[in-house]
Amino acid sequence: MAGRYGDWLKQGQRDLAHARRAMGAGDYEWACFAAQQGAEKAVKALYLKLGGMAWGRSVAALLEELPEPWQAGVELLDAARELDKHYIPPCYPNAHPQGAPYEYYTRNEAERAIANAERVVNFCARILAE
């Protein structure tokens, strides 16, 4: 399983590319969700490369558990915490008081989610390239 880290990273990068396409189409809720998914998969790739297994969906929690010397800084953890907010609400109407999820998401929010995911994916890719 440890040898599959490249597959996880590639899928994370593809999810991030999908987030960009979704944003371009005005599907901001899906852009946010795909950005979160891309970051999550990139961090899980890193765990596989390091010989571990990552469980859970929280990008921030996964980053916080990385061993030395691969620990993430405060800014990256903040970016991950913002991404974690996009795991359930973009997909389910009952995550909001009323209305469909797409009615709650903006282009600005999608841009931030993509930028945050790029930070996480790039952080992981740099370590994986070592």
Side-chain angles (χ1 to χ4, degrees):
M1 184 73 122
R4 303 279 321 263
Y5 71 87
D7 297 336
W8 280 83
L9 179 62
K10 287 189 296 187
Q11 189 61 51
Q13 291 167 330
R14 185 170 172 86
D15 289 355
L16 184 52
H18 175 71
R20 291 184 194 102
R21 289 190 303 276
M23 185 180 69
D27 297 333
Y28 305 133
E29 80 282 15
W30 283 111
C32 290
F33 179 72
Q36 186 280 336
Q37 290 289 286
E40 179 186 327
K41 290 171 187 166
V43 178
K44 289 182 175 183
L46 186 52
Y47 271 85
L48 287 172
K49 172 72 173 186
L50 299 174
M53 283 296 282
W55 298 101
R57 302 289 181 198
S58 170
V59 178
L62 292 168
L63 287 172
E64 286 173 339
E65 296 298 319
L66 285 172
E68 290 281 351
W70 301 287
Q71 292 182 332
V74 174
E75 288 182 16
L76 191 63
L77 290 172
D78 285 347
R81 285 184 190 97
E82 191 170 334
L83 283 169
D84 285 343
K85 295 174 186 173
H86 300 306
Y87 176 60
I88 293 176
C91 303
Y92 300 100
N94 63 345
H96 302 281
Q98 67 182 35
Y102 78 88
E103 297 173 301
Y104 287 85
Y105 286 84
T106 65
R107 181 176 185 85
N108 186 26
E109 199 165 20
E111 288 172 348
R112 274 196 329 273
I114 290 167
N116 287 333
E118 286 172 345
R119 289 183 192 103
V120 173
V121 170
N122 291 339
F123 170 82
C124 296
R126 279 192 302 275
I127 295 171
L128 288 167
E130 293 177 356

